[in-house]
Amino acid sequence: MIPEDIHWHRTAPPPPTCHKVQGDLTADVVIVGAGLTGLRTAITLAEAGVDTVVLDAEKIGFGSSGRSGGQCNPIWRATPDDLRKKFGAAQAERLIRTTLTAADDLFDDIRRYNVDCEAEQNGWIQAAHTRSAADDLRHLHAAWAEVGADIRVMSTAEAHQAVGSDAYDFALHHGKGGFVQPMALTRGYAKAAKAAGARLFEQAPAQKITQHGQKWQIETPQGIVTADQVILTTNAYTDDLWPGLRQTMLPMYSISLATAPLTPEQQASVLPGRKTISDTRLAIFYARYDAGNRLIFGCVGSNNSARTLGGVGRLLNGLHTVFPQLKGIEIECTWAGRIGVTQDMMPRMHEPAAGVLAGVGFSGRGIAMTSVMGRSLARKVLGGHNDDLPFPVSMIKPIPFHEVSRRMVPLMAPSMSLKDRASVVWDRMTPAASKKET
């Protein structure tokens, strides 16, 4: 049986030394959640001289930040026009401008803080699994190219060569995309935050939040943290600390496998340019290399185990569908992690009360956009006006019938996989005359 073991935990540099809460603490700002968002927020605040405490219920990077695929996919599923209709022209333009630089800003941060996280910015291939999906990608390309995104259409031959597979006849190339070792990035941010003066505490679950005059108090089993400002950055691992916040997202699951290191011959035939790839399936397939030349391949799962409801089978079927030349390769491990998914697949920056902020809901775009959110949350605390922020600041609005939808989540992955198979069969059955060669 393939072992379940989070690959990134095996290969990341060691974390910085953190402490446990022992007695009561005071700070200017307390951040709940020591993942990418919370730690990137802490870096900017600590650099500005703000006394910052970061609490995590588990270890640094326990959640999505240490489990994701680690791909930097820096374009929304929505078009710029979609964003303008949703947020209004001024807010949308700020978000568009920030989106266009998000990937470069991330890799600049990695260099600035000397983070050892296997970062490679070689581009991202966004591949269509059917002709209908290809039409959607053409529309996405035209819309984002118009505002200056580094995005282009690949020819069929180029797509086959770049992927190392004839599974996709149409693809977009995003030149700013890339990948990181996500746990290494998280630990690198933790080291940078600590070096700037932030205090990091692990195994300190926030159990209760209360207001006392102009101050806020976070109760942990070991003591109380009192601060002027609270920032909640728990994303898909959000509990009921703040009423309604958990209900703004559904906890979808990403499952992944790591192959044995590929031989030079295999590397020449599988993503030979070491680009990342993700496709347009509902139960999305994605792949990239790690620094040890293992192929990391993922799709959508059902819960915190990759084995649930045929998850490992979906992973292997997907791997062999896209890369049949890897049939028989050793699989070193599989793992799973939650993704916080909002109804419109866009992050949320909430201000549910004076002195309380939250940044959650990255919906599969977390590697690039958690850093954007972290900088934005810090800017807000440091006095930035809402009209200067890339994300709109909103009140909390729970998803209707959230509990019913949450209970259905385990069934969504196999259901989406069935729909994906049906879409491929339909695509093959329909006349090919409409197929567009580019």
Side-chain angles (χ1 to χ4, degrees):
M1 180 180 291
I2 301 169
E4 283 205 77
D5 188 9
I6 302 170
H7 174 64
W8 307 124
H9 294 196
R10 305 189 304 167
T11 61
T17 300
C18 298
H19 302 284
K20 293 184 180 180
V21 175
Q22 295 179 330
D24 295 347
L25 301 169
T26 60
D28 297 328
V29 175
V30 57
I31 299 171
V32 181
L36 290 170
T37 308
L39 293 168
R40 187 60 189 83
T41 307
I43 290 171
T44 297
L45 290 176
E47 287 179 337
V50 176
D51 183 13
T52 303
V53 163
V54 183
L55 305 176
D56 199 277
E58 300 285 348
K59 296 282 189 178
I60 297 293
F62 171 83
S64 304
S65 297
R67 301 167 185 262
S68 78
Q71 297 190 188
C72 178
N73 301 342
I75 290 289
W76 305 111
R77 295 168 179 85
T79 67
D81 276 346
D82 293 333
L83 299 179
R84 293 180 187 109
K85 291 174 184 176
K86 181 173 181 61
F87 299 124
Q91 180 70 66
E93 291 309 312
R94 291 194 296 275
L95 181 54
I96 291 165
R97 289 197 305 272
T98 302
T99 300
L100 295 178
T101 65
D104 284 344
D105 291 343
L106 170 68
F107 289 99
D108 285 346
D109 269 352
I110 290 168
R111 288 184 287 269
R112 175 184 176 189
Y113 296 110
N114 196 28
V115 178
D116 178 13
C117 64
E118 305 177 10
E120 297 186 35
Q121 194 177 13
N122 301 323
W124 162 42
I125 298 170
Q126 191 175 19
H129 75 295
T130 63
R131 281 172 281 157
S132 174
D135 289 339
D136 292 339
L137 289 188
R138 288 186 182 92
H139 177 62
L140 190 74
H141 164 260
W144 280 100
E146 185 177 14
V147 296
D150 184 354
I151 179 175
R152 63 179 178 83
V153 173
M154 306 178 81
S155 71
T156 298
E158 184 185 8
H160 289 177
Q161 171 63 27
V163 178
S165 171
D166 61 2
Y168 307 107
D169 290 335
F170 183 90
L172 302 179
H173 182 266
H174 301 261
K176 299 295 186 180
F179 58 81
V180 300
Q181 209 278 30
M183 177 57 95
L185 176 61
T186 306
R187 289 177 176 176
Y189 275 177
K191 292 175 184 177
K194 186 175 179 181
R199 291 177 282 165
L200 312 182
F201 296 91
E202 296 180 322
Q203 297 177 326
Q207 297 178 318
K208 186 177 180 181
I209 180 171
T210 54
Q211 187 173 19
H212 294 267
Q214 299 299 309
K215 302 283 187 178
W216 290 92
Q217 291 188 339
I218 299 287
E219 295 183 21
T220 78
Q222 302 88 3
I224 295 173
V225 183
T226 301
D228 300 317
Q229 177 84 48
V230 174
I231 304 177
L232 307 174
T233 58
T234 43
N235 199 35
Y237 291 76
T238 297
D239 57 18
D240 293 319
L241 178 66
W242 190 272
L245 183 60
R246 178 175 64 86
Q247 289 79 16
T248 63
M249 304 165 282
L250 287 174
M252 298 295 292
Y253 295 86
S254 170
I255 57 176
S256 304
L257 62 78
T259 70
L262 271 60
T263 66
E265 293 76 18
Q266 289 170 326
Q267 293 172 52
S269 74
V270 173
L271 297 175
R274 295 181 67 86
K275 300 179 187 297
T276 70
I277 182 174
S278 60
D279 71 13
T280 50
R281 285 175 168 83
L282 296 173
I284 183 173
F285 293 163
Y286 54 89
R288 43 73 57 99
Y289 280 103
D290 77 348
N293 298 320
R294 299 172 185 87
L295 190 72
I296 311 300
F297 188 92
C299 67
V300 176
S302 293
N303 68 9
N304 288 312
S305 169
R307 296 173 182 168
T308 304
L309 293 177
V312 172
R314 271 197 308 283
L315 282 170
L316 293 174
N317 287 337
L319 177 67
H320 299 155
T321 295
V322 181
F323 303 113
Q325 64 268 47
L326 295 183
K327 285 184 178 180
I329 193 169
E330 177 190 351
I331 307 300
E332 291 189 354
C333 62
T334 65
W335 69 97
R338 295 182 206 167
I339 301 171
V341 177
T342 61
Q343 282 185 299
D344 60 1
M345 307 296 283
M346 295 294 295
R348 297 287 188 272
M349 185 171 176
H350 294 302
E351 188 175 23
V356 179
L357 293 172
V360 296
F362 299 97
S363 306
R365 294 291 187 265
I367 293 298
M369 297 304 167
T370 49
S371 289
V372 174
M373 180 64 78
R375 289 187 293 266
S376 300
L377 290 166
R379 194 187 316 167
K380 172 72 174 171
V381 171
L382 294 171
H385 194 275
N386 289 0
D387 289 342
D388 296 326
L389 302 175
F391 299 111
V393 180
S394 63
M395 298 298 291
I396 289 173
K397 293 182 180 179
I399 295 172
F401 308 107
H402 179 271
E403 187 62 23
V404 174
S405 298
R406 186 185 67 81
R407 291 180 181 275
M408 297 297 291
V409 164
L411 300 177
M412 293 178 71
S415 173
M416 289 189 293
S417 293
L418 286 173
K419 291 179 180 178
D420 288 332
R421 291 194 194 102
S423 69
V424 171
V425 170
W426 177 254
D427 189 69
R428 290 172 179 170
M429 290 175 59
T430 53
S434 62
K435 189 172 183 178
K436 299 177 182 179
E437 176 73 24
T438 58

